[in-house]
Every structure is written in C-alpha cells, then in structure tokens.
Amino acid sequence: PYSLALAPIIDDEDVCGFVEIFHKQSIHLQDLISYTIQVAGWASQYIRANSGKRLQQEQKLLSDIEQFSRQVHSSLNSTKVAFYVANEMRRLIKCDRVSVGVRHGTKVTIEAISGADTVEKSSSHVTKMRRLFDAVIEWGEKLVFKGRLDETLPPKVRSSLDEYLKEKTPSMLVLLPLRDDRE
C-alpha cells in the first residue's frame, strides 16, 4: 500500500546519504519522485555550504596557528614570549584566561596572565596559582577540573587546588605541564 522513493544526497560527486520517502499510493508517483529529488538537492546544497564554511574555518585556524608559531619563535625574551602565548592562546582556544608559568630550578614563577600587562607576583591569587603549578609539575600529569574536586588526585595537588578554588571558582580549569626533553 506504500510507494518508496529514494534519491542520493551528493557532496562533491560522492554520495554521502539518501533521502528515503515512504508514502501512501494515493499520491501520484511522478510527484513523489520529483519531491524526493528536490529534497535531496536541498540537502546536498546544505552539506556543500556547510563543508565550505568548515573548510574556511579550518584554514583560518591553521593560518592563525602558523602565525602564532612564527611569533612565539621570533624572540628569545621569555617574558615577552610568555605574554604573547598567554594572550594569543586565549584567543585561539576561546577561553577566559590563560596563564603561563615557567619552572626555574624547583619553583615555578607565573610569567604571564592573559589580559594583564604585568603579573603582580605577591598577590594572593598569583601565589595560590604558583603553588598549584608547583604541585602539578611535581605530580607530572595534566590536571583537569570540571567543577567538582576529584578525590583521586594526589594530596598535594588536591590541597593546592582547593586553596586556589577558594580564590577563584572556574567552571573548568586545565593545567598542562610541558616538558623540555633536554632536562
């Protein structure tokens, strides 16, 4: 009692899907086929338009990353590089704040915070952030906080994170220690 019409959804000469319509036979078969082909055409146009936008976004991101890499390597001044990294990474990864800490010996110094012209190293926020950085680097793993304290964290990391969270309460926090293989 039903008619079936199939039409391919085409993206750059490749079939990426089908429109399939079941309908009662009371409709004229030629009208059903025409309608199915028209819907498949609209779906193909939509996919082509979105894949073009996606390609443009990917190309822009790659261009931004290339420019970022060039700029980071344009100076040997670690403070200048840290400020550039903090401010540009914030823009690239679309987050509220990026801070850069550098380990000197066994201690970390907070070199840059995005959006800040200088780092007030004696402020309680920076002091707690530095202690958290120290604990995470000593632990050697990436810390990801998503609003709830993970009880499996090492005690030093957990207590440093708890102290930091008393000052700031982010919805998400990621600390990623980067290693220098020459050490």
Side-chain angles (χ1 to χ4, degrees), residues 95-109:
C95 68
D96 293 333
R97 173 77 37 108
V98 173
S99 301
V100 177
V102 177
R103 185 179 66 177
H104 301 281
T106 59
K107 293 293 180 189
V108 172
T109 57

Side-chain angles (χ1 to χ4, degrees), residues 118-130:
T118 60
V119 175
E120 192 61 46
K121 297 185 190 282
S122 61
S123 75
S124 66
H125 171 68
V126 172
T127 302
K128 290 176 183 180
M129 184 189 308
R130 184 188 54 75

Side-chain angles (χ1 to χ4, degrees), residues 68 81-101 110-116 118-119 125 129 133 164 172-176 178:
F68 172 78
V81 170
F83 272 98
Y84 183 78
V85 167
N87 288 305
E88 288 304 303
M89 282 304 292
R90 179 180 169 268
R91 186 181 63 81
L92 283 173
I93 63 175
K94 296 175 177 53
C95 68
D96 293 333
R97 173 77 37 108
V98 173
S99 301
V100 177
I110 306 301
E111 296 289 331
I113 299 174
S114 61
T118 60
V119 175
H125 171 68
M129 184 189 308
F133 279 33
Y164 179 79
M172 183 170 188
L173 172 73
V174 178
L175 265 75
L176 178 63
L178 301 176

Side-chain angles (χ1 to χ4, degrees), residues 16-84:
C16 61
F18 286 94
V19 172
E20 178 181 58
I21 297 179
F22 289 98
H23 201 278
K24 288 188 178 181
Q25 284 187 336
S26 60
I27 190 171
H28 189 269
L29 188 58
Q30 192 59 40
D31 291 340
L32 178 63
I33 292 171
S34 295
Y35 179 72
T36 307
I37 290 171
Q38 188 175 23
V39 169
W42 291 334
S44 296
Q45 287 175 351
Y46 176 80
I47 288 172
R48 270 194 299 274
N50 279 338
S51 65
K53 287 178 188 174
R54 189 172 43 250
L55 181 61
Q56 285 176 342
Q57 290 170 342
E58 287 173 7
Q59 286 175 338
K60 182 176 178 351
L61 179 61
L62 288 174
S63 173
D64 289 349
I65 291 171
E66 182 180 352
Q67 180 183 352
F68 172 78
S69 179
R70 259 195 239 112
Q71 196 68 29
V72 164
H73 291 91
S74 70
S75 176
L76 294 176
N77 181 331
S78 63
T79 303
K80 182 179 178 183
V81 170
F83 272 98
Y84 183 78

